[in-house]
Amino acid sequence: MSVKRTLMMVGLGIFGVIALITVFTSWYTVDESEQAVVITFGRADEMVTNPGLHFKLPWPVQSVEILSKETFSLQFGYKQNKSGELEAYDAETKMITGDENIVLTDLVVQWKITEPNKFLFNSQDPERILHSATSSAIRSIIGSSSIDAALTEGKADIEAKTRELLVSLIENYDIGISVLGVKLQDVELPNKEVRAAFTAVTDAREMKNTKINEAEKYENQRLNEAQGERDAIMSKAKGAKTARIEQAQGDVAVFNKTYEQYKGNQQITRERLILETLENVLPKAQIYIMNDDGNTMKYLPLQPLQPQQTPTEKKEGSGN
């Protein structure tokens, strides 16, 4: 009886353990910022991205790996310790440029897990592969760049080329992650004296660009002023041209009218034109009309025949 009872107790104990395992390993929860992979007998069977409570077969039939959907940062060339201070790794960041100069380059790579099953099973250490690929990509781009480009205006281009090359490498490795961005933190020279010299060169280049911008601004200002003066002169010339044309057309109209009168009575028109011309040429001269028949000379004094104004009339006339 004692042996049978013992076996029964052992069986109940085993059943209880199996029941507990079944209860506690048949469900799992996924948070908003997480994703899960259900593994059946060691093989990725299902990917779960919906948050909430989910059920599965108990262990050891199925297990679950919970991974984050957030963006990670890979710090290349430095790390931040527990106290918040940055620790540099010069041996990792020391690189040779295309013109055979040494620079220290550190950067940050933004990445995230996009295919959890590949992240879990296609490589043993995906993050280390990403680190190695980052080192290969940045060294390749720095090795094809000049030191001036690496230290000054070429950083944006180096960032873009490094990201493009790194994305290509990660796609070839097929480890289930995607590179979102590459940001150069610092590119500097390993020697203080050389850094100071390059800083002076950079300052001189910036001063040069500033002077060029100021010169271009002055040139544009002077061009605008010259164009304004030119437009004013051309406008004035067009106005004078229009006035001269209108005056000439008026003179032609007067001439044509006079010519029509002249054709009707040539003698009178000729004499009137002569008198008008004399009045315009000699406005203060006294004009006499004379007729000479060969024996006696008769003349008609026009000035005495004009009515003389009294001083009062002149005064009133001047007032009007």
Side-chain angles (χ1 to χ4, degrees):
M1 291 293 295
S2 60
V3 174
K4 186 181 292 185
R5 186 173 181 177
T6 301
L7 291 175
M8 183 179 296
M9 294 296 293
V10 171
L12 290 174
I14 294 174
F15 179 79
V17 170
I18 294 174
L20 289 174
I21 292 175
T22 301
V23 170
F24 286 103
T25 62
S26 296
W27 60 273
Y28 61 97
T29 58
V30 178
D31 193 59
E32 291 282 351
S33 61
E34 295 176 336
Q35 54 190 339
V37 178
V38 179
I39 301 173
T40 304
F41 293 118
R43 185 183 66 184
D45 187 46
E46 181 184 1
M47 187 175 70
V48 179
T49 58
N50 296 326
L53 181 66
H54 301 272
F55 295 92
K56 65 177 184 63
L57 296 176
W59 184 87
V61 178
Q62 286 185 329
S63 60
V64 176
E65 288 287 343
I66 305 294
L67 301 173
S68 176
K69 293 192 294 185
E70 297 180 351
T71 300
F72 298 92
S73 294
L74 170 68
Q75 298 171 342
F76 180 83
Y78 70 98
K79 287 185 178 180
Q80 192 172 10
N81 56 28
K82 295 180 179 180
S83 61
E85 297 178 353
L86 297 180
E87 297 180 1
Y89 297 90
D90 291 349
E92 182 178 79
T93 61
K94 189 177 293 185
M95 307 173 190
I96 299 178
T97 63
D99 47 5
E100 298 182 352
N101 289 282
I102 297 176
V103 293
L104 302 178
T105 307
D106 48 30
L107 66 155
V108 174
V109 178
Q110 303 290 332
W111 64 279
K112 67 186 305 182
I113 301 171
T114 53
E115 297 182 79
N117 55 337
K118 293 182 179 180
F119 181 82
L120 292 172
F121 295 101
N122 283 18
S123 64
Q124 186 174 1
D125 192 348
E127 294 186 42
R128 185 168 185 82
I129 293 176
L130 176 62
H131 186 278
S132 299
T134 300
S135 177
S136 175
I138 187 62
R139 290 180 185 278
S140 176
I141 300 304
I142 290 292
S144 60
S145 305
S146 66
I147 189 169
D148 287 338
L151 294 176
T152 55
E153 70 277 0
K155 290 184 178 180
D157 187 49
I158 291 175
E159 284 182 0
K161 290 181 178 179
T162 302
R163 181 185 181 281
E164 182 180 355
L165 180 57
L166 181 58
V167 167
S168 176
L169 291 174
I170 295 302
E171 288 178 352
N172 291 334
Y173 292 148
D174 197 23
I175 55 177
I177 66 176
S178 295
V179 176
L180 304 180
V182 174
K183 178 66 177 178
L184 284 177
Q185 295 297 101
D186 198 10
V187 180
E188 61 180 8
L189 295 162
N191 186 282
K192 293 182 178 180
E193 289 77 10
V194 179
R195 282 202 298 269
F198 267 89
T199 300
V201 171
T202 302
D203 293 341
R205 184 179 289 109
E206 292 178 354
M207 180 63 70
K208 171 188 173 183
N209 294 333
T210 301
K211 294 298 183 182
I212 291 175
N213 292 334
E214 291 177 353
E216 291 177 348
K217 180 180 178 181
Y218 177 76
E219 178 186 9
N220 293 333
Q221 180 180 356
R222 294 297 297 167
L223 283 174
N224 292 333
E225 292 177 356
Q227 289 174 354
E229 294 176 359
R230 181 199 64 184
D231 294 341
I233 293 173
M234 291 182 65
S235 178
K236 185 177 180 181
K238 289 179 180 178
K241 173 185 175 183
T242 303
R244 293 295 297 273
I245 291 174
E246 291 178 353
Q247 182 181 357
Q249 291 174 347
D251 293 342
V252 170
V254 172
F255 178 81
N256 291 334
K257 185 177 180 180
T258 304
Y259 180 69
E260 292 296 329
Q261 296 175 357
Y262 174 77
K263 289 194 299 182
N265 197 336
Q266 298 183 6
Q267 182 63 29
I268 295 175
T269 303
R270 185 184 297 112
E271 292 176 356
R272 183 171 63 82
L273 291 175
I274 293 173
L275 291 176
E276 289 178 355
T277 304
L278 290 174
E279 288 178 354
N280 291 330
V281 176
L282 304 170
K284 296 182 181 181
Q286 294 184 355
I287 301 175
Y288 299 92
I289 298 176
M290 305 176 68
N291 184 18
D292 185 7
D293 58 359
N295 296 323
T296 61
M297 181 179 293
K298 299 177 181 180
Y299 66 92
L300 177 61
L302 298 180
Q303 297 295 337
L305 297 177
Q306 295 179 353
Q308 299 294 326
Q309 292 181 345
T310 63
T312 304
E313 292 175 345
K314 291 182 178 179
K315 184 176 182 181
E316 291 177 356
S318 61
N320 294 330

